[in-house]
C-alpha cells in the first residue's frame, strides 16, 4: 500500500479542485449557467461595477492586485459578495495585497495562496444566485466553502444591496466580510502547535500539482509536442488515501492531531521500528514515510459511519475495515484494528479532548492531542499470520534423484476441518497443510516467508500445528503420533539464527498428539531489520521448520516425519493467551473463524490481550 506513495500513484485524491475553474475559462461556459435573477440588467461587467463604486474601492484594490479583475471582466458568470469600505478598511486591503505578493514571490502555488483562498474566493461564487423573500439556499463559493444565502444575509453577514444583475453575473454589497472557516486540512497548516504534522501532510512528495491534459484546451503541435491554450492543474495529496479527503467541504471528518511535542516523541519511538535494510532502494524515504504514517494512520474518522450514537460505544477510523470477512482477508483474522472503544471517555478516549483543544472546522473538527491515546497495538503493531496453505511457503527441502535432478523431499496436501469435527474453529481458517515425506530415510524442511515484520519491537513467535484427527476423525493411532522439529530464523544481512533454549543449545519442539499446538518458538524476539511493505524477495525474513526424527524412532512408530502445519504467528509480545476454555466473565463476540477475544479493563487500555481457544 505504501508503495503507492513512493511511485506517486494515486487515484481520485482531489484537493482544491476549483482551481480548474480559474485556469481554464471559456466563453462557452456561459451556456451552462442558468440565471436565477430577475429584473433589468445593468450595463457593463461585474468588474466595471465594482471598480466604479467608491464604496467598494478597498475590495477592488485587492481584486486587482490578485489578478482576478480580468475574470470578473470576462464572459464567465459569477456572483460577487463585496464588503464595503465601512467594514473593510484600506489598511486591511493593503495588508492582504502585501501578503499576496509575498506568497507569490515565495512561489506558493495559487491553490495554497491564503489571500486568494480565504478572502477573494471566499466572496465569489460561480453561477448566478439571486434571493427572494423565501430564499434559504446553501451555495458553494469559489474556495469550495458552503455558505447559507438568505434574503437578508450570506453566512450571517447582512446584505446592504442585492440582486444587482450585470452582463456576467450578480453583485451584492455586504455589511462586513464573510468569515473564512478552515477545513481540517487547512487548519493543520495554520496552527503553530501542529507544525510537525503540517510539514508531513504538506510535504511536496505527497502534496503536488498535477497537469490534466484531458481537461486542458489543446493548441498547436510543435516539434511533436502539444502546446496548450488553457492548462488545467489539480492539487493532489497521496496521503488522503490513508486519511480521507480532509480538504473536501461536502464531507465531515474528525481528526486527532498530535501536537509538536507528541509528534516528536512518537517519531523518536517509532523510527526504530522501521529500520529497513541498508541496501534497499529508497530506504531513507521509506523510513521517513513509514514512521510518520504509523502515527497518522488511524487518526481520522469519517462522520459518514461515526454518528454520535455510535461514538458512544466505539470509533471507526478511516483505516478500519468494517466488514469482518474483509478484515480476515487483510489481517488473517477478524481483528478490529484502527477502531477504538469508548472514544469520548476521559482520559484514554481517542476523542476525549475538549475546550480549546477541540477546534471547529468547516468540514468537521480537529482534536489537538497533547496526550496520545492511539495504541500502536491497535494500528500498525499487528498480529502477523502466515498460513501454511497460502503464499507464505518459500520452499521445501530437496534432494537429488538417480538422474541428478532436484526433487522435493515432501509433498504438501491441504486439509480441511469440517464443521462436525471437534477441532472446527480451533484451526486457523479451518485448514492446514500436511507435508508428507517422499523418502522414508530423510528428514525434511519447510521454509516460511515472514513478510511485513517490524524491527526492534518484541514478537512472540508461535508455530501452530494441527493433529491428524482435525481432518480425519477416524485417524488410527499410528498416524496420530507426534513429530520433533527445530526452527531457524534467517534475517537479511545476518544469516541463520537457529532457535536455542536457555542452555544455548538448538531447541527441539515436540508436538502433542491429538492437540492443536501453539509452540512458542521465541519470546520477545526482535528483528534487526524491517520488511514492512518490502517486495524484494531477497530481503525477506524466513523461518525454516525441519523434522528431527531418527530412523529408529520412525521404525518404532513413536514419532513421524509428517508435519501438519497450520500457520506461523508473530504476536506483539505479551498479547496472546492460548486457552482450553474462556476465562470467567469473558463474552463471546460471535466472530467467525478462529475464536479471539479482546480482554482488559478500559482504564488499562483495551485490547492488550487476545484470547485464543485451543
Amino acid at each position: 500500500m505504501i508503495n503507492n506513495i513512493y511511485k506517486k500513484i494515486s487515484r481520485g485524491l482531489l484537493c482544491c479542485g476549483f482551481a480548474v475553474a480559474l485556469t481554464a475559462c471559456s466563453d462557452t461556459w456561459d451556456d451552462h449557467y442558468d440565471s436565477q435573477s430577475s429584473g433589468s440588467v445593468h450595463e457593463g461587467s461585474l468588474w466595471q461595477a465594482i471598480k466604479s463604486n467608491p464604496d467598494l474601492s478597498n475590495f477592488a484594490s485587492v481584486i486587482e492586485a490578485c489578478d482576478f479583475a480580468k475574470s470578473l471582466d470576462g464572459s464567465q458568470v459569477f456572483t460577487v459578495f463585496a464588503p464595503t469600505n465601512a467594514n473593510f478598511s484600506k489598511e486591511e486591503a493593503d495588508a492582504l495585497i502585501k501578503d499576496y505578493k509575498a506568497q507569490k514571490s515565495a512561489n506558493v502555488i495559487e491553490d495554497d495562496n491564503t489571500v486568494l483562498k480565504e478572502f477573494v474566493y471566499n466572496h465569489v461564487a460561480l453561477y448566478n444566485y439571486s434571493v427572494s423573500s423565501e430564499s434559504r439556499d446553501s451555495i458553494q463559493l469559489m474556495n469550495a466553502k458552503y455558505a447559507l444565502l438568505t434574503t437578508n444575509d450570506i453566512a450571517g453577514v447582512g446584505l446592504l444591496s442585492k440582486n444587482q444583475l450585470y452582463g456576467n453575473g450578480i453583485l451584492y454589497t455586504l455589511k462586513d466580510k464573510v468569515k473564512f472557516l478552515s477545513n481540517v486540512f487547512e487548519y493543520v497548516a495554520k496552527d503553530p502547535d501542529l507544525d510537525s504534522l503540517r510539514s508531513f501532510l504538506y510535504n511536496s512528495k505527497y502534496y503536488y500539482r498535477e497537469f490534466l491534459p484531458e481537461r486542458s484546451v489543446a493548441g498547436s503541435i510543435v516539434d511533436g509536442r502539444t502546446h496548450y491554450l488553457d492548462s488545467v492543474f489539480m492539487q493532489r495529496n497521496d496521503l488522503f488515501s490513508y486519511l480521507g479527503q480532509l480538504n473536501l467541504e461536502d464531507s465531515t471528518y474528525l481528526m486527532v492531531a498530535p501536537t509538536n511535542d507528541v509528534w516528536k516523541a512518537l517519531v523518536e519511538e517509532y523510527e526504530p521500528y522501521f529500520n529497513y535494510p541498508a541496501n534497499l532502494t529508497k530506504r531513507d524515504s521509506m523510513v521517513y514515510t513509514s514512521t510518520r504514517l504509523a502515527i497518522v494512520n488511524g487518526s481520522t474518522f469519517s462522520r459518514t459511519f461515526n454518528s454520535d450514537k455510535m461514538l458512544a460505544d466505539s470509533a471507526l477510523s478511516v483505516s478500519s475495515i468494517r466488514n469482518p470477512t474483509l478484515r480476515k482477508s487483510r489481517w488473517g483474522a477478524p481483528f478490529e484494528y484502527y477502531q477504538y472503544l469508548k472514544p469520548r471517555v476521559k482520559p484514554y478516549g481517542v476523542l476525549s479532548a475538549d475546550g480549546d483543544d477541540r477546534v471547529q472546522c468547516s468540514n468537521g473538527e480537529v482534536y489537538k492531542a497533547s496526550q496520545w491515546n492511539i495504541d500502536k497495538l491497535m494500528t500498525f503493531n499487528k498480529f502477523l499470520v502466515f498460513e501454511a496453505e497460502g503464499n507464505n511457503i518459500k520452499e521445501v527441502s530437496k534432494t537429488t534423484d538417480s538422474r541428478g535432478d532436484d526433487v522435493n523431499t515432501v509433498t504438501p496436501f491441504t486439509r480441511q476441518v469440517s464443521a462436525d469435527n471437534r477441532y472446527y474453529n480451533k484451526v486457523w481458517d479451518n485448514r492446514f497443510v500436511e507435508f508428507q515425506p517422499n523418502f522414508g530415510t530423510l528428514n525434511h524442511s519447510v521454509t516460511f516467508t515472514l513478510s511485513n515484520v517490524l524491527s526492534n519491537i518484541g514478537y512472540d513467535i508461535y508455530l501452530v500445528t494441527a493433529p491428524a484427527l482435525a481432518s480425519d476423525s477416524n485417524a488410527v493411532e499410528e498416524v496420530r503420533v507426534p513429530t520433533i522439529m527445530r526452527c531457524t530464523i534467517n534475517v537479511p544481512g545476518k544469516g541463520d539464527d537457529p532457535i536455542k533454549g536457555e542452555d544455548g543449545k538448538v531447541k527441539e519442539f515436540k508436538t502433542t498428539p491429538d492437540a492443536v499446538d501453539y509452540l512458542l518458538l521465541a519470546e520477545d524476539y526482535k528483528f534487526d531489520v524491517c520488511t514492512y511493505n518490502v517486495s524484494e524477495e531477497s530481503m525477506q525474513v524466513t523461518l525454516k521448520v525441519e523434522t528431527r526424527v531418527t530412523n529408529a524412532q520412525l521404525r518404532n512408530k513413536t514419532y513421524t516425519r509428517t508435519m501438519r502445519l497450520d500457520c506461523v504467528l508473530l504476536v506483539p509480545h505479551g498479547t496472546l493467551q492460548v486457552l482450553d476454555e474462556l476465562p470467567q466473565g469473558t463474552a463471546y463476540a460471535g466472530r467467525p473463524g478462529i475464536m479471539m477475544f479482546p480482554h482488559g479493563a478500559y482504564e488499562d487500555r483495551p485490547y492488550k490481550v487476545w484470547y485464543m481457544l485451543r
Side-chain angles (χ1 to χ4, degrees):
M1 183 168 59
I2 196 174
N3 289 332
N4 290 348
I5 284 184
Y6 307 127
K7 297 177 183 178
K8 295 225 166 167
I9 297 174
S10 63
R11 296 176 177 86
L13 307 180
L14 171 63
C15 181
C16 303
F18 277 83
V20 172
L22 302 179
T23 54
C25 303
S26 167
D27 291 345
T28 62
W29 285 19
D30 289 344
D31 298 335
H32 300 290
Y33 302 150
D34 295 326
S35 175
Q36 301 174 17
S37 63
S38 58
S40 59
V41 180
H42 298 286
E43 291 186 3
S45 66
L46 284 168
W47 171 241
Q48 290 168 341
I50 294 169
K51 184 70 173 176
S52 63
N53 187 337
D55 286 338
L56 301 179
S57 60
N58 296 331
F59 181 72
S61 67
V62 176
I63 295 297
E64 190 166 28
C66 293
D67 201 29
F68 194 61
K70 62 182 180 181
S71 296
L72 296 182
D73 202 31
S75 59
Q76 189 174 355
V77 176
F78 297 96
T79 298
V80 178
F81 303 92
T84 62
N85 293 349
N87 288 289
F88 181 52
S89 67
K90 184 177 185 303
E91 290 74 20
E92 290 176 293
D94 289 344
L96 287 173
I97 293 170
K98 182 179 179 181
D99 190 8
Y100 171 80
K101 291 179 178 179
Q103 292 185 55
K104 192 170 183 180
S105 297
N107 295 318
V108 173
I109 61 175
E110 188 176 82
D111 297 313
D112 285 339
N113 190 297
T114 57
V115 177
L116 286 173
K117 184 165 60 176
E118 299 182 12
F119 182 78
V120 175
Y121 301 163
N122 205 48
H123 290 84
V124 182
L126 289 172
Y127 311 104
N128 282 340
Y129 291 102
S130 62
V131 294
S132 67
S133 59
E134 304 297 324
S135 290
R136 189 175 179 82
D137 299 316
S138 179
I139 69 170
Q140 195 168 29
L141 302 173
M142 286 285 293
N143 56 9
K145 304 292 179 182
Y146 287 91
L148 183 63
L149 176 62
T150 74
T151 188
N152 297 315
D153 59 65
I154 170 77
V157 177
L159 306 177
L160 291 174
S161 65
K162 51 192 173 184
N163 295 346
Q164 297 179 36
L165 181 60
Y166 292 87
N168 63 339
I170 297 177
L171 177 64
Y172 293 80
T173 59
L174 307 181
K175 294 180 180 180
D176 206 342
K177 303 173 290 297
V178 176
K179 182 180 178 181
F180 177 85
L181 186 61
S182 299
N183 60 41
V184 169
F185 184 60
E186 293 164 340
Y187 179 79
V188 169
K190 292 181 175 182
D191 192 327
D193 291 338
L194 306 178
D195 281 348
S196 299
L197 176 61
R198 177 202 59 77
S199 295
F200 180 57
L201 298 188
Y202 282 81
N203 190 306
S204 59
K205 288 196 297 184
Y206 326 116
Y207 183 55
Y208 55 93
R209 204 174 186 215
E210 183 178 69
F211 174 59
L212 301 179
E214 70 278 8
R215 297 189 186 179
S216 301
V217 179
S220 58
I221 298 177
V222 179
D223 296 331
R225 299 182 61 183
T226 302
H227 287 243
Y228 290 88
L229 304 177
D230 281 304
S231 297
V232 177
F233 294 84
M234 186 175 293
Q235 278 300 118
R236 296 192 182 274
N237 195 319
D238 293 341
L239 297 177
F240 287 169
S241 61
Y242 301 90
L243 301 174
Q245 301 285 345
L246 300 181
N247 63 306
L248 294 187
E249 299 294 336
D250 57 358
S251 300
T252 307
Y253 291 95
L254 309 178
M255 182 178 193
V256 181
T259 59
N260 293 329
D261 288 343
V262 171
W263 181 273
K264 181 175 182 291
L266 289 172
V267 168
E268 290 176 355
E269 179 187 353
Y270 290 178
E271 194 166 88
Y273 304 153
F274 299 97
N275 179 37
Y276 287 96
N279 56 343
L280 181 67
T281 304
K282 297 185 178 179
R283 176 194 181 276
D284 293 344
S285 177
M286 291 186 72
V287 171
Y288 175 88
T289 301
S290 295
T291 299
R292 287 152 184 81
L293 269 180
I295 299 172
V296 300
N297 214 359
S299 67
T300 54
F301 307 83
S302 170
R303 284 297 235 158
T304 301
F305 46 87
N306 284 286
S307 65
D308 286 339
K309 183 178 180 180
M310 292 178 64
L311 289 176
D313 178 64
S314 65
L316 288 84
S317 75
V318 170
S319 303
S320 67
I321 301 176
R322 286 170 284 162
N323 185 299
T325 302
L326 293 179
R327 288 203 299 263
K328 183 175 180 296
S329 174
R330 177 74 62 82
W331 295 319
F335 294 104
E336 294 173 342
Y337 290 121
Y338 298 107
Q339 65 183 78
Y340 318 100
L341 291 178
K342 305 297 181 184
R344 300 286 197 193
V345 177
K346 296 180 180 179
Y348 296 121
V350 296
L351 298 173
S352 60
D354 56 15
D356 292 341
D357 291 333
R358 185 173 175 177
V359 182
Q360 187 66 45
C361 298
S362 63
N363 67 342
E365 292 179 298
V366 170
Y367 292 76
K368 294 170 60 176
S370 54
Q371 171 182 304
W372 196 242
N373 289 338
I374 297 178
D375 196 328
K376 60 179 175 286
L377 290 173
M378 287 308 297
T379 55
F380 67 92
N381 189 20
K382 304 181 182 73
F383 273 52
L384 300 179
V385 183
F386 305 99
E387 298 271 11
E389 69 271 12
N391 298 318
N392 302 304
I393 300 300
K394 179 182 179 181
E395 60 189 10
V396 297
S397 53
K398 299 179 184 297
T399 190
T400 304
D401 65 11
S402 59
R403 293 177 298 182
D405 296 329
D406 286 341
V407 293
N408 294 340
T409 65
V410 291
T411 300
F413 296 93
T414 299
R415 304 302 189 192
Q416 191 77 30
V417 184
S418 61
D420 59 353
N421 189 289
R422 66 180 168 126
Y423 296 96
Y424 186 73
N425 271 350
K426 295 183 179 181
V427 174
W428 287 74
D429 205 26
N430 286 310
R431 293 183 300 169
F432 63 93
V433 177
E434 186 173 276
F435 293 92
Q436 294 185 357
N438 295 331
F439 300 90
T441 59
L442 297 177
N443 279 297
H444 56 269
S445 67
V446 176
T447 301
F448 287 79
T449 297
L450 308 182
S451 56
N452 289 313
V453 302
L454 301 175
S455 54
N456 302 303
I457 195 167
Y459 287 107
D460 296 336
I461 304 177
Y462 291 86
L463 176 64
V464 184
T465 64
L469 289 172
S471 62
D472 181 5
S473 298
N474 299 313
V476 297
E477 186 173 351
E478 182 177 325
V479 300
R480 290 157 51 190
V481 296
T483 190
I484 304 172
M485 300 170 291
R486 70 180 182 185
C487 300
T488 303
I489 295 173
N490 184 283
V491 177
K494 184 177 179 181
D496 287 345
D497 182 16
I499 293 176
K500 300 179 178 66
E502 293 181 359
D503 58 3
K505 296 180 180 179
V506 175
K507 190 173 182 180
E508 292 187 343
F509 301 90
K510 297 180 182 180
T511 59
T512 306
D514 302 341
V516 174
D517 265 330
Y518 281 75
L519 302 173
L520 181 57
L521 306 185
E523 188 173 8
D524 200 18
Y525 189 96
K526 296 180 175 66
F527 295 97
D528 295 331
V529 296
C530 162
T531 64
Y532 182 74
N533 280 315
V534 173
S535 58
E536 289 88 335
E537 185 177 345
S538 63
M539 297 185 185
Q540 300 298 328
V541 172
T542 62
L543 173 71
K544 182 166 71 173
V545 182
E546 55 186 324
T547 57
R548 301 298 293 172
V549 176
T550 67
N551 290 332
Q553 290 169 327
L554 201 63
R555 285 193 301 271
N556 294 334
K557 299 181 181 179
T558 54
Y559 289 94
T560 179
R561 289 190 179 123
T562 296
M563 294 192 294
R564 298 178 181 89
L565 304 183
D566 182 10
C567 63
V568 174
L569 299 179
L570 267 61
V571 178
H573 176 56
T575 63
L576 171 63
Q577 289 187 20
V578 182
L579 307 170
D580 292 317
E581 60 183 20
L582 284 178
Q584 197 69 23
T586 302
Y588 174 51
R591 295 175 177 82
I594 194 76
M595 293 187 236
M596 311 174 65
F597 307 90
H599 170 67
Y602 175 72
E603 289 75 12
D604 193 32
R605 304 294 178 93
Y607 301 111
K608 281 294 188 184
V609 177
W610 290 91
Y611 291 131
M612 295 186 187
L613 289 186
R614 179 161 47 197

